[in-house]
Amino acid sequence: MSHDHSIDPKNMPKDPSKATTEGKHKFMGLWIFLGGETVLFACLFGTYLALRNSNAGGPTTQELYGLGLVFLMTVLLLTSSLTSVYAIYHMKNNDFKKMQLWMGITALLGIGFLACEIYEFAHYIHGYGFTFRSSAFGSAFYALVGFHGGHVAFGLSWIITLMVRNAKRGLDLYNAPKFNTFALYWHFIDVVWVFIFTVVYLMGMVS
Amino acid sequence: MTDEMSTRKINSFQKQKNKQEMQRMVVSFALMIIFTLIAFALVMLEVPSTYVIPIILLLAFVQVGFQFFYFMHLKDKGHEVPSQIIYGGVFITVMVALTFTVITWW
Amino acid sequence: MGMTSAQKRGFGATLWDWLTTVDHKKIGILYMAGGGFFFLMGGLEAVIIRIQLMSPENNFISAGLYNEMITMHGTTMIFLAAMPILLGLMNFIMPLQIGARDVAFPFLNSLGFWLFLFGGVLLNLSWFTGAPDAGWTNYAPLSIQSPGHGIDFYIMGLQLSGAGTLMGGINFIVTIVLMRAPGMTYMRMPLFTWTTFVASILILFAFPALTVGLFLMMFDRMFGSAFFDAALGGNAVIWQHLFWIFGHPEVYILILPVFGVFSEVFPTFAKKRLFGYTAMVFATFLIAFLGFMVWAHHMFTVGLGPVANSIFAVATMAIAVPTGIKIFNWLFTLWGGSIKINSAMLWALAFIPSFTIGGMTGVMLASAVADYQYHDTYFVIGHFHYVIVGGTVFGILSGLHYWWPKMFGKYLHEGLGQLSFWTFFVGFHLTFFIQHFLGLMGMPRRYWVFLENQGLDTGNLISSIGAFFMSFGVIVFLINIILTTIKGKKAPRDAWGSGRTLEWSISSPPVHYNYKQLPLVRGLDPLWIEKMEGNKNMTPAEPVDEIHMPNGSILPLIITIGMTIASYGFIYQTGNKLWLIAVYSGMAIALISMLTRSLKDDHGHHIPKEELERIGD
């Protein structure tokens, strides 16, 4: 590995995020971590599936959920997944400004998603008295969706930190892997959300 | 430094390849949105649950496949270990979901 | 390396070196020292249990304390003793075996160790205010009802050390996938590396289930949620599932690495290559795969129904097949070999019959119908001590004797080693063999006392006497460590003269960058190949050049201290909201240190070529 981590203009690597040993390690490490995250969410989904009808006399899933907001949230998060792909596309073309721009859009969409989620929770609590403590269903719902929301919040602080930290110095072989691992993590959050809107909201409206 | 970077010449062949890949990404995004629309529509049209639940679950799996294989490049070379790990995770997920729906209450 | 130069630097500098180290070898030693300490704690608890059960209706400790004792004994031995010592061995040996200079994420490695240590310390601090008392399985609703803060310590302590273990697992996987030396293909990896790899995959998939289970338990106990509260629609069986989805793979996390140890020890001391290498690798994967699908055999009496019970019974019995393959492969490795018996080999040889007995009773327990009879009796206690002591502990001790010269540059004393082996071995069978029969006679586990004249008196007395033999063996082992540290025989690089794998090609103990030049691996048992071709050592795969190494850092320790403070706050904020200050300030410490880590560039350092040439290797 060379001492100088900045990208050499004459010898631009095909994928700057995997050009260094450290970059390769980060890439592999994040994937392995996502394997563990899969099981983490699997257990939360399992708990929710077991407890979704245990509403202890409170509102049922059909009474509670509204598909409009969920659809909006889905579109926000799916789009943010695409915009992060754009960001990585510009990274591979060595265009730092555009990468920052698209990462910024990704973050904004994420913030929009999180705002919707907070509104949703507040609505359930104040409109229905449906809380973390009101029933086993409530506990399981907030645990699953809340863990996902927590992951979104963590991802947001991650990307904002990265963008601010590297705004002045531009792209190099030291920070390219960091942007790339963020993008992978962000896609995974979207994967989890696809199952949340299907298993929690859509299936909750059906049965 | 930043300005320098963005004007740098990159292998035009590579650039063309990146562009083609990006187009494929946009197509898969469009498909994901369509799948989402179908799933929401099926539920809103109140299709009987015997049909709708397997269909929306299938749609979710296909959509997640797009995320993993295209957005996250799991189909590409150099992703053999990550894909094995994810398959392992998915296997356990299915097992856990089955457990909690079938052998938790009786 | 270290040792001599560290002594010159004075105590403060040495301490700072160990607190900030990211060297996988030092972290390995730290893991083993921490695990060893908790092993003594757990052992002490075991002796107290056996003293209480030495005679009928004994009054040595109170019933409440007895519950705390069994809970802490189990929890400590599994999470804080066996696993960390194994993680220590893996940390030290695995990178050497694949010809790497460090693990993939040295910083994370250090963070993982400190999280384990502080998690363990936090759990043991509960002794001052009331330890957890719901058994190591911590079943709801008993654990939800348990008064005081004991269970809260269990939750937070295991959460911390579990997070550390998960980091270790991810780290090992990435290391093995990406950092193998030139020529070291997957199918040339030593078996210990293979089992480290597979155990790490199990850690990766099993520990998140524990994390979730502990979170739910924490929410129920501290924040009023209702996961396990039947009154609000909760279900206590969820805890059992989550716990055993983690807990069964956990026992394979404990046993697979020592299968790897034996697969190194037998070929070395039989001077013969491992019989059926490919089958061994395959069997390891098969055990791991099946190990994930059998957790409900711990729940046969819960009432899952005959279909579920049958499926899990059959899957459980199936595990005996790959395990049997392994047992036979070890026997065939010994067959016709030129066998040298020493303490490392004795532990390995004793493992085979002991573990096989444990495996046999395992198949007995796997039969769901018969399990209704065995469940929660001393038969189960006998069974799992045969696999965990007869397997894991024997394996750890074999591995420690085997790699001690590599790790510390000095041999353990052979006579003392054999004395501790024989006393421990005899004591082990005295203690646990009789427990199978006590169980069959109807003695339930987790009971504070047993009644007189029910045929249980002699058996329990024998069992307790065995426990003293085992304690004696452990004390002899400790004396052995101390004596050999003071004046032990120095070990050369190939300490046993018949080393086959890469770790024996470098100095004992290794320099901190392990390999001056990465070795070229030309087949399975690379060092043996070179020796057979008359070469003194490995052929280098690269010219001598500067080496890139990571920098040490105090941040992992600070992050861990922050998290420990926050955990303490979580435990006590239920009674007094002022403790939330501890929660927030602890979190702040942890987050600020993490931020520091990510904002400050750390490119590591380079060891210049001139220095390498000067030092030699």
Side-chain angles (χ1 to χ4, degrees), chain A residues 25 54 133 136 139 165 169, chain C residues 105 223 226 232-233 546 599 601:
Chain A
H25 290 182
S54 302
R133 298 174 181 189
S139 306
R165 173 69 181 90
R169 65 173 173 180
Chain C
F105 305 107
F223 303 110
L232 288 172
E546 59 172 23
L599 294 184
D601 288 358

Side-chain angles (χ1 to χ4, degrees), chain C residues 29 89 92-93 96 268-269 340 342-344 397-414 484 488-497 503-504 506-510:
Chain C
I29 292 172
L89 276 179
F92 200 111
I93 301 300
L96 302 182
T268 304
F269 296 117
K340 182 174 150 197
N342 57 19
S343 19
L397 287 163
S398 176
L400 285 177
H401 283 88
Y402 177 61
W403 279 308
W404 199 271
K406 180 52 61 187
M407 294 190 287
F408 299 98
K410 285 171 178 180
Y411 291 97
L412 285 172
H413 189 268
E414 193 49 45
T484 47
K489 204 177 114 199
K490 280 216 159 65
R493 59 173 81 201
D494 188 2
W496 304 109
E503 75 268 30
W504 303 111
I506 50 175
S507 57
S508 308

Side-chain angles (χ1 to χ4, degrees), chain C residues 528-567:
Chain C
W528 189 259
I529 291 177
E530 301 294 335
K531 285 194 284 192
M532 286 302 106
E533 295 187 2
N535 301 329
K536 276 198 180 135
N537 215 332
M538 298 300 298
T539 317
E542 56 175 17
V544 178
D545 200 0
E546 59 172 23
I547 294 173
H548 177 250
M549 293 300 287
N551 291 331
S553 171
I554 192 71
L555 288 173
L557 179 59
I558 299 178
I559 293 174
T560 309
I561 290 174
M563 288 189 164
T564 311
I565 294 172
S567 304

Side-chain angles (χ1 to χ4, degrees), chain C residues 261-284:
Chain C
V261 172
F262 297 127
S263 304
E264 304 293 322
V265 171
F266 284 134
T268 304
F269 296 117
K271 282 201 177 177
K272 209 173 144 233
R273 71 172 276 184
L274 183 70
F275 187 91
Y277 171 85
T278 317
M280 287 298 239
V281 174
F282 181 68
T284 308

Side-chain angles (χ1 to χ4, degrees), chain C residues 77-403:
Chain C
M77 283 302 196
I78 300 272
F79 291 97
L80 308 178
M83 217 167 41
I85 296 176
L86 288 173
L87 285 173
L89 276 179
M90 294 172 179
N91 236 316
F92 200 111
I93 301 300
M94 179 274 287
L96 302 182
Q97 284 196 328
I98 61 171
R101 293 199 170 107
D102 208 325
V103 289
F105 305 107
F107 182 91
L108 216 56
N109 201 12
S110 148
L111 181 58
F113 164 73
W114 292 111
L115 281 172
F116 139 68
L117 186 72
F118 279 71
V121 169
L122 182 72
L123 181 58
N124 275 282
L125 282 177
S126 69
W127 278 119
F128 295 108
T129 52
D133 55 2
W136 85 279
T137 52
N138 203 41
Y139 273 9
L142 179 62
S143 49
I144 301 292
Q145 300 297 327
S146 169
H149 286 296
I151 305 290
D152 303 329
F153 275 99
Y154 174 98
I155 295 167
M156 301 315 293
L158 290 193
Q159 196 71 282
L160 280 184
S161 65
T165 307
L166 189 56
M167 286 173 194
I170 293 174
N171 207 344
F172 292 152
I173 297 176
V174 178
T175 307
I176 293 173
V177 172
L178 293 179
M179 297 179 75
R180 283 167 288 128
M184 177 66 83
T185 58
Y186 280 111
M187 288 315 276
R188 287 177 183 176
M189 293 195 317
L191 238 283
F192 182 69
T193 299
W194 264 117
T195 52
T196 299
F197 185 60
V198 176
S200 300
I201 294 173
L202 285 178
I203 288 176
L204 175 73
F205 288 140
F207 269 74
L210 177 72
T211 307
V212 170
L214 290 173
F215 265 124
L216 304 189
M217 181 70 71
M218 174 185 174
F219 293 156
D220 262 21
R221 279 188 62 96
M222 299 180 197
F223 303 110
S225 63
F227 294 101
F228 311 123
D229 180 359
L232 288 172
N235 185 335
V237 179
I238 289 174
W239 168 264
Q240 295 194 20
H241 276 306
L242 288 176
F243 186 84
W244 288 119
I245 288 172
F246 148 76
H248 198 78
E250 167 71 13
V251 305
Y252 292 96
I253 295 167
L254 293 177
I255 202 66
L256 285 179
V258 307
F259 283 177
V261 172
F262 297 127
S263 304
E264 304 293 322
V265 171
F266 284 134
T268 304
F269 296 117
K271 282 201 177 177
K272 209 173 144 233
R273 71 172 276 184
L274 183 70
F275 187 91
Y277 171 85
T278 317
M280 287 298 239
V281 174
F282 181 68
T284 308
F285 270 100
L286 203 57
I287 291 173
F289 175 70
L290 289 172
F292 244 104
M293 311 209 297
V294 297
W295 76 88
H297 67 214
H298 298 271
M299 299 165 65
F300 279 155
T301 58
V302 168
L304 304 174
V307 177
N309 276 3
S310 310
I311 293 171
F312 283 103
V314 172
T316 306
M317 291 176 193
I319 295 188
V321 177
T323 317
I325 292 175
K326 280 181 171 281
I327 299 277
F328 281 111
N329 279 339
W330 287 317
L331 292 177
F332 287 138
T333 306
L334 293 170
W335 190 33
S338 112
I339 294 174
K340 182 174 150 197
I341 304 260
N342 57 19
S343 19
M345 191 63 166
L346 276 174
W347 286 110
L349 289 171
F351 151 83
I352 292 181
S354 308
F355 186 80
T356 307
I357 293 173
M360 254 159 49
T361 52
V363 177
M364 288 170 75
L365 282 160
S367 164
V369 187
D371 184 64
Y372 275 80
Q373 191 66 31
Y374 309 135
H375 189 81
D376 265 352
T377 69
Y378 262 77
F379 188 83
V380 178
I381 307 281
H383 158 71
F384 71 67
H385 281 91
Y386 261 82
V387 287
I388 293 182
V389 181
T392 307
V393 175
F394 282 20
I396 285 171
L397 287 163
S398 176
L400 285 177
H401 283 88
Y402 177 61
W403 279 308

